[in-house]
Amino acid sequence: MGRVAINDDKVRGMLNWLEWKGRLRRRSFLWRLVTASLVFIVLYVFMDRMLGHASTLLLYLPFFAVLLSLSVRRLHDQAKVAGWLLLLLVPVLGPLLVGFLLLFRRGTPGENQYGDDPRTRGRDYLEVNAIGRA
């Protein structure tokens, strides 16, 4: 059997939930945050009812790993290091500032030290639609 090549950016994007390198747009961050949270809630309720409350402890590590990965890449989009997440340890103001950075602050335009701009990735201004209308 041959190896299947994944060339589609959307499919590749869905497979990289635990990547630590690169940049992540606000829109992608929010969709993945909502999706991860919904999956966590559904699995939590299912495991709590079927296997007991203690079994739900297994869900926290993968959930927080996904949240950390998404947050790091979101900070990379703003040319910030992952160390900014340590502000979460500061009561009240830390979580507010990190929440603002992750949810409302726009990423740096153009390429930065963490990669190319995700807003322009896959766009080529020289690309021409060669298919004519019949």
Side-chain angles (χ1 to χ4, degrees), residues 40-57 59:
F40 176 79
I41 290 168
V42 168
L43 288 174
Y44 184 93
V45 170
F46 174 76
M47 290 177 73
D48 187 37
R49 290 187 181 178
M50 297 305 224
L51 305 171
H53 187 69
S55 67
T56 61
L57 294 174
L59 297 174

Side-chain angles (χ1 to χ4, degrees), residues 17 33-45 59 63:
W17 285 69
L33 179 66
V34 168
T35 303
S37 298
L38 289 175
V39 167
F40 176 79
I41 290 168
V42 168
L43 288 174
Y44 184 93
V45 170
L59 297 174
F63 179 64

Side-chain angles (χ1 to χ4, degrees), residues 2-18:
R3 206 169 131 183
V4 177
I6 300 174
N7 292 326
D8 186 20
D9 283 338
K10 292 185 182 192
V11 173
R12 203 174 322 134
M14 294 304 289
L15 297 175
N16 66 2
W17 285 69
L18 288 172

